[in-house]
Amino acid sequence: MRDPLPSLRLMKAVERHHHALQEGLLRNAPQLCCQRFTPALTVSRANVDEMLKRLSRAFALAKSKPLESA
């Protein structure tokens, strides 16, 4: 019997990505435990703080409002 855990992790990653896009964040995840934001720019501390606020909202939404299965 196949372990469902990798599939569940992938589904959560897809949900987080969807909600991050809704927050205006462009990101990819080369691995499930790694986040990469694009484009790579020199940014201010305020830019990073704003991105972290948006990412936090996106993760909270992914946790509370999972995407519906097709």
PDB file of all heavy atoms in Angstrom, residues 5-28:
ATOM      1  N   LEU A   5       1.192  10.186   2.609  1.00  0.00           N
ATOM      2  CA  LEU A   5       1.792  11.412   3.128  1.00  0.00           C
ATOM      3  C   LEU A   5       2.414  12.301   2.046  1.00  0.00           C
ATOM      4  O   LEU A   5       2.169  13.504   2.043  1.00  0.00           O
ATOM      5  CB  LEU A   5       2.798  11.085   4.223  1.00  0.00           C
ATOM      6  CG  LEU A   5       3.285  12.255   5.061  1.00  0.00           C
ATOM      7  CD1 LEU A   5       2.122  13.025   5.674  1.00  0.00           C
ATOM      8  CD2 LEU A   5       4.207  11.770   6.159  1.00  0.00           C
ATOM      9  N   PRO A   6       3.216  11.771   1.095  1.00  0.00           N
ATOM     10  CA  PRO A   6       3.765  12.653   0.056  1.00  0.00           C
ATOM     11  C   PRO A   6       2.680  13.372  -0.746  1.00  0.00           C
ATOM     12  O   PRO A   6       2.814  14.548  -1.071  1.00  0.00           O
ATOM     13  CB  PRO A   6       4.592  11.711  -0.822  1.00  0.00           C
ATOM     14  CG  PRO A   6       4.977  10.594   0.096  1.00  0.00           C
ATOM     15  CD  PRO A   6       3.775  10.431   1.008  1.00  0.00           C
ATOM     16  N   SER A   7       1.584  12.690  -1.046  1.00  0.00           N
ATOM     17  CA  SER A   7       0.479  13.318  -1.777  1.00  0.00           C
ATOM     18  C   SER A   7      -0.167  14.434  -0.964  1.00  0.00           C
ATOM     19  O   SER A   7      -0.536  15.477  -1.501  1.00  0.00           O
ATOM     20  CB  SER A   7      -0.579  12.279  -2.153  1.00  0.00           C
ATOM     21  OG  SER A   7      -0.035  11.334  -3.026  1.00  0.00           O
ATOM     22  N   LEU A   8      -0.320  14.214   0.332  1.00  0.00           N
ATOM     23  CA  LEU A   8      -0.900  15.239   1.193  1.00  0.00           C
ATOM     24  C   LEU A   8       0.009  16.454   1.277  1.00  0.00           C
ATOM     25  O   LEU A   8      -0.453  17.596   1.238  1.00  0.00           O
ATOM     26  CB  LEU A   8      -1.153  14.673   2.599  1.00  0.00           C
ATOM     27  CG  LEU A   8      -2.222  13.591   2.695  1.00  0.00           C
ATOM     28  CD1 LEU A   8      -2.257  13.007   4.095  1.00  0.00           C
ATOM     29  CD2 LEU A   8      -3.578  14.142   2.306  1.00  0.00           C
ATOM     30  N   ARG A   9       1.314  16.225   1.365  1.00  0.00           N
ATOM     31  CA  ARG A   9       2.262  17.338   1.402  1.00  0.00           C
ATOM     32  C   ARG A   9       2.205  18.137   0.110  1.00  0.00           C
ATOM     33  O   ARG A   9       2.252  19.367   0.123  1.00  0.00           O
ATOM     34  CB  ARG A   9       3.671  16.819   1.637  1.00  0.00           C
ATOM     35  CG  ARG A   9       3.911  16.356   3.037  1.00  0.00           C
ATOM     36  CD  ARG A   9       5.341  15.902   3.210  1.00  0.00           C
ATOM     37  NE  ARG A   9       5.553  15.412   4.549  1.00  0.00           N
ATOM     38  CZ  ARG A   9       6.387  14.445   4.848  1.00  0.00           C
ATOM     39  NH1 ARG A   9       7.106  13.870   3.911  1.00  0.00           N
ATOM     40  NH2 ARG A   9       6.538  14.057   6.098  1.00  0.00           N
ATOM     41  N   LEU A  10       2.119  17.442  -1.004  1.00  0.00           N
ATOM     42  CA  LEU A  10       2.041  18.127  -2.298  1.00  0.00           C
ATOM     43  C   LEU A  10       0.755  18.946  -2.385  1.00  0.00           C
ATOM     44  O   LEU A  10       0.777  20.093  -2.840  1.00  0.00           O
ATOM     45  CB  LEU A  10       2.121  17.120  -3.439  1.00  0.00           C
ATOM     46  CG  LEU A  10       2.059  17.706  -4.846  1.00  0.00           C
ATOM     47  CD1 LEU A  10       3.203  18.698  -5.068  1.00  0.00           C
ATOM     48  CD2 LEU A  10       2.097  16.606  -5.878  1.00  0.00           C
ATOM     49  N   MET A  11      -0.352  18.405  -1.925  1.00  0.00           N
ATOM     50  CA  MET A  11      -1.629  19.128  -1.955  1.00  0.00           C
ATOM     51  C   MET A  11      -1.544  20.388  -1.110  1.00  0.00           C
ATOM     52  O   MET A  11      -2.010  21.454  -1.516  1.00  0.00           O
ATOM     53  CB  MET A  11      -2.769  18.232  -1.473  1.00  0.00           C
ATOM     54  CG  MET A  11      -4.102  18.945  -1.501  1.00  0.00           C
ATOM     55  SD  MET A  11      -4.503  19.558  -3.140  1.00  0.00           S
ATOM     56  CE  MET A  11      -5.963  18.666  -3.446  1.00  0.00           C
ATOM     57  N   LYS A  12      -0.924  20.299   0.069  1.00  0.00           N
ATOM     58  CA  LYS A  12      -0.775  21.485   0.920  1.00  0.00           C
ATOM     59  C   LYS A  12       0.120  22.519   0.234  1.00  0.00           C
ATOM     60  O   LYS A  12      -0.140  23.723   0.311  1.00  0.00           O
ATOM     61  CB  LYS A  12      -0.197  21.107   2.289  1.00  0.00           C
ATOM     62  CG  LYS A  12      -1.118  20.257   3.142  1.00  0.00           C
ATOM     63  CD  LYS A  12      -2.497  20.845   3.296  1.00  0.00           C
ATOM     64  CE  LYS A  12      -2.556  21.908   4.350  1.00  0.00           C
ATOM     65  NZ  LYS A  12      -3.889  22.506   4.507  1.00  0.00           N
ATOM     66  N   ALA A  13       1.167  22.068  -0.452  1.00  0.00           N
ATOM     67  CA  ALA A  13       2.055  22.990  -1.173  1.00  0.00           C
ATOM     68  C   ALA A  13       1.287  23.705  -2.282  1.00  0.00           C
ATOM     69  O   ALA A  13       1.454  24.910  -2.491  1.00  0.00           O
ATOM     70  CB  ALA A  13       3.255  22.241  -1.747  1.00  0.00           C
ATOM     71  N   VAL A  14       0.417  22.992  -2.979  1.00  0.00           N
ATOM     72  CA  VAL A  14      -0.398  23.596  -4.041  1.00  0.00           C
ATOM     73  C   VAL A  14      -1.347  24.628  -3.443  1.00  0.00           C
ATOM     74  O   VAL A  14      -1.518  25.723  -3.993  1.00  0.00           O
ATOM     75  CB  VAL A  14      -1.178  22.507  -4.817  1.00  0.00           C
ATOM     76  CG1 VAL A  14      -2.228  23.117  -5.725  1.00  0.00           C
ATOM     77  CG2 VAL A  14      -0.204  21.648  -5.614  1.00  0.00           C
ATOM     78  N   GLU A  15      -1.952  24.314  -2.311  1.00  0.00           N
ATOM     79  CA  GLU A  15      -2.857  25.264  -1.660  1.00  0.00           C
ATOM     80  C   GLU A  15      -2.114  26.525  -1.240  1.00  0.00           C
ATOM     81  O   GLU A  15      -2.592  27.642  -1.455  1.00  0.00           O
ATOM     82  CB  GLU A  15      -3.521  24.613  -0.441  1.00  0.00           C
ATOM     83  CG  GLU A  15      -4.529  23.557  -0.806  1.00  0.00           C
ATOM     84  CD  GLU A  15      -5.046  22.791   0.386  1.00  0.00           C
ATOM     85  OE1 GLU A  15      -4.544  22.983   1.517  1.00  0.00           O
ATOM     86  OE2 GLU A  15      -5.959  21.975   0.191  1.00  0.00           O
ATOM     87  N   ARG A  16      -0.933  26.361  -0.651  1.00  0.00           N
ATOM     88  CA  ARG A  16      -0.151  27.533  -0.245  1.00  0.00           C
ATOM     89  C   ARG A  16       0.234  28.375  -1.450  1.00  0.00           C
ATOM     90  O   ARG A  16       0.183  29.605  -1.393  1.00  0.00           O
ATOM     91  CB  ARG A  16       1.094  27.086   0.516  1.00  0.00           C
ATOM     92  CG  ARG A  16       0.780  26.535   1.881  1.00  0.00           C
ATOM     93  CD  ARG A  16       2.056  26.149   2.607  1.00  0.00           C
ATOM     94  NE  ARG A  16       1.741  25.467   3.840  1.00  0.00           N
ATOM     95  CZ  ARG A  16       2.137  24.239   4.134  1.00  0.00           C
ATOM     96  NH1 ARG A  16       2.896  23.569   3.298  1.00  0.00           N
ATOM     97  NH2 ARG A  16       1.803  23.703   5.280  1.00  0.00           N
ATOM     98  N   HIS A  17       0.605  27.718  -2.536  1.00  0.00           N
ATOM     99  CA  HIS A  17       0.982  28.446  -3.753  1.00  0.00           C
ATOM    100  C   HIS A  17      -0.209  29.249  -4.285  1.00  0.00           C
ATOM    101  O   HIS A  17      -0.078  30.420  -4.626  1.00  0.00           O
ATOM    102  CB  HIS A  17       1.482  27.469  -4.816  1.00  0.00           C
ATOM    103  CG  HIS A  17       1.868  28.119  -6.085  1.00  0.00           C
ATOM    104  ND1 HIS A  17       3.026  28.867  -6.206  1.00  0.00           N
ATOM    105  CD2 HIS A  17       1.259  28.176  -7.290  1.00  0.00           C
ATOM    106  CE1 HIS A  17       3.102  29.347  -7.444  1.00  0.00           C
ATOM    107  NE2 HIS A  17       2.043  28.936  -8.101  1.00  0.00           N
ATOM    108  N   HIS A  18      -1.366  28.624  -4.322  1.00  0.00           N
ATOM    109  CA  HIS A  18      -2.587  29.296  -4.800  1.00  0.00           C
ATOM    110  C   HIS A  18      -2.882  30.545  -3.968  1.00  0.00           C
ATOM    111  O   HIS A  18      -3.127  31.621  -4.510  1.00  0.00           O
ATOM    112  CB  HIS A  18      -3.765  28.315  -4.735  1.00  0.00           C
ATOM    113  CG  HIS A  18      -5.092  28.952  -4.991  1.00  0.00           C
ATOM    114  ND1 HIS A  18      -5.527  29.261  -6.262  1.00  0.00           N
ATOM    115  CD2 HIS A  18      -6.062  29.355  -4.149  1.00  0.00           C
ATOM    116  CE1 HIS A  18      -6.725  29.831  -6.169  1.00  0.00           C
ATOM    117  NE2 HIS A  18      -7.064  29.890  -4.903  1.00  0.00           N
ATOM    118  N   HIS A  19      -2.849  30.405  -2.660  1.00  0.00           N
ATOM    119  CA  HIS A  19      -3.159  31.534  -1.791  1.00  0.00           C
ATOM    120  C   HIS A  19      -2.065  32.608  -1.842  1.00  0.00           C
ATOM    121  O   HIS A  19      -2.359  33.798  -1.730  1.00  0.00           O
ATOM    122  CB  HIS A  19      -3.421  31.062  -0.359  1.00  0.00           C
ATOM    123  CG  HIS A  19      -4.706  30.289  -0.242  1.00  0.00           C
ATOM    124  ND1 HIS A  19      -5.946  30.851  -0.459  1.00  0.00           N
ATOM    125  CD2 HIS A  19      -4.940  28.988   0.041  1.00  0.00           C
ATOM    126  CE1 HIS A  19      -6.887  29.936  -0.298  1.00  0.00           C
ATOM    127  NE2 HIS A  19      -6.298  28.799   0.004  1.00  0.00           N
ATOM    128  N   ALA A  20      -0.814  32.210  -2.025  1.00  0.00           N
ATOM    129  CA  ALA A  20       0.265  33.191  -2.181  1.00  0.00           C
ATOM    130  C   ALA A  20       0.052  34.014  -3.450  1.00  0.00           C
ATOM    131  O   ALA A  20       0.247  35.238  -3.449  1.00  0.00           O
ATOM    132  CB  ALA A  20       1.623  32.494  -2.218  1.00  0.00           C
ATOM    133  N   LEU A  21      -0.366  33.370  -4.531  1.00  0.00           N
ATOM    134  CA  LEU A  21      -0.671  34.106  -5.762  1.00  0.00           C
ATOM    135  C   LEU A  21      -1.783  35.114  -5.524  1.00  0.00           C
ATOM    136  O   LEU A  21      -1.736  36.239  -6.025  1.00  0.00           O
ATOM    137  CB  LEU A  21      -1.073  33.140  -6.883  1.00  0.00           C
ATOM    138  CG  LEU A  21       0.048  32.404  -7.581  1.00  0.00           C
ATOM    139  CD1 LEU A  21      -0.517  31.378  -8.562  1.00  0.00           C
ATOM    140  CD2 LEU A  21       0.977  33.363  -8.300  1.00  0.00           C
ATOM    141  N   GLN A  22      -2.810  34.725  -4.764  1.00  0.00           N
ATOM    142  CA  GLN A  22      -3.901  35.653  -4.457  1.00  0.00           C
ATOM    143  C   GLN A  22      -3.400  36.848  -3.649  1.00  0.00           C
ATOM    144  O   GLN A  22      -3.987  37.918  -3.716  1.00  0.00           O
ATOM    145  CB  GLN A  22      -5.017  34.939  -3.689  1.00  0.00           C
ATOM    146  CG  GLN A  22      -5.807  33.986  -4.551  1.00  0.00           C
ATOM    147  CD  GLN A  22      -6.954  33.356  -3.789  1.00  0.00           C
ATOM    148  OE1 GLN A  22      -6.868  33.087  -2.606  1.00  0.00           O
ATOM    149  NE2 GLN A  22      -8.041  33.124  -4.502  1.00  0.00           N
ATOM    150  N   GLU A  23      -2.324  36.665  -2.894  1.00  0.00           N
ATOM    151  CA  GLU A  23      -1.719  37.765  -2.130  1.00  0.00           C
ATOM    152  C   GLU A  23      -0.737  38.574  -2.973  1.00  0.00           C
ATOM    153  O   GLU A  23      -0.097  39.485  -2.481  1.00  0.00           O
ATOM    154  CB  GLU A  23      -0.999  37.217  -0.889  1.00  0.00           C
ATOM    155  CG  GLU A  23      -1.920  36.769   0.207  1.00  0.00           C
ATOM    156  CD  GLU A  23      -2.654  37.924   0.868  1.00  0.00           C
ATOM    157  OE1 GLU A  23      -2.129  39.050   0.913  1.00  0.00           O
ATOM    158  OE2 GLU A  23      -3.783  37.691   1.354  1.00  0.00           O
ATOM    159  N   GLY A  24      -0.587  38.206  -4.252  1.00  0.00           N
ATOM    160  CA  GLY A  24       0.311  38.942  -5.134  1.00  0.00           C
ATOM    161  C   GLY A  24       1.761  38.506  -5.048  1.00  0.00           C
ATOM    162  O   GLY A  24       2.650  39.223  -5.502  1.00  0.00           O
ATOM    163  N   LEU A  25       2.026  37.335  -4.483  1.00  0.00           N
ATOM    164  CA  LEU A  25       3.392  36.829  -4.362  1.00  0.00           C
ATOM    165  C   LEU A  25       3.695  35.855  -5.492  1.00  0.00           C
ATOM    166  O   LEU A  25       2.902  34.963  -5.782  1.00  0.00           O
ATOM    167  CB  LEU A  25       3.586  36.121  -3.020  1.00  0.00           C
ATOM    168  CG  LEU A  25       3.379  36.972  -1.772  1.00  0.00           C
ATOM    169  CD1 LEU A  25       3.442  36.096  -0.527  1.00  0.00           C
ATOM    170  CD2 LEU A  25       4.421  38.072  -1.697  1.00  0.00           C
ATOM    171  N   LEU A  26       4.838  36.046  -6.144  1.00  0.00           N
ATOM    172  CA  LEU A  26       5.306  35.113  -7.165  1.00  0.00           C
ATOM    173  C   LEU A  26       6.371  34.251  -6.509  1.00  0.00           C
ATOM    174  O   LEU A  26       7.400  34.747  -6.086  1.00  0.00           O
ATOM    175  CB  LEU A  26       5.894  35.862  -8.359  1.00  0.00           C
ATOM    176  CG  LEU A  26       4.938  36.787  -9.094  1.00  0.00           C
ATOM    177  CD1 LEU A  26       5.691  37.542 -10.180  1.00  0.00           C
ATOM    178  CD2 LEU A  26       3.793  36.006  -9.694  1.00  0.00           C
ATOM    179  N   ARG A  27       6.105  32.954  -6.429  1.00  0.00           N
ATOM    180  CA  ARG A  27       7.051  32.065  -5.770  1.00  0.00           C
ATOM    181  C   ARG A  27       6.994  30.698  -6.395  1.00  0.00           C
ATOM    182  O   ARG A  27       6.042  30.350  -7.075  1.00  0.00           O
ATOM    183  CB  ARG A  27       6.783  31.975  -4.275  1.00  0.00           C
ATOM    184  CG  ARG A  27       5.525  31.218  -3.909  1.00  0.00           C
ATOM    185  CD  ARG A  27       5.293  31.258  -2.448  1.00  0.00           C
ATOM    186  NE  ARG A  27       4.798  30.178  -1.702  1.00  0.00           N
ATOM    187  CZ  ARG A  27       4.613  28.915  -1.977  1.00  0.00           C
ATOM    188  NH1 ARG A  27       4.920  28.445  -3.116  1.00  0.00           N
ATOM    189  NH2 ARG A  27       4.127  28.063  -1.133  1.00  0.00           N
ATOM    190  N   ASN A  28       8.048  29.949  -6.186  1.00  0.00           N
ATOM    191  CA  ASN A  28       8.020  28.543  -6.555  1.00  0.00           C
ATOM    192  C   ASN A  28       8.670  27.764  -5.422  1.00  0.00           C
ATOM    193  O   ASN A  28       9.286  28.347  -4.538  1.00  0.00           O
ATOM    194  CB  ASN A  28       8.683  28.279  -7.914  1.00  0.00           C
ATOM    195  CG  ASN A  28      10.154  28.584  -7.944  1.00  0.00           C
ATOM    196  OD1 ASN A  28      10.848  28.494  -6.931  1.00  0.00           O
ATOM    197  ND2 ASN A  28      10.658  28.948  -9.095  1.00  0.00           N
TER     198      ASN A  28
END
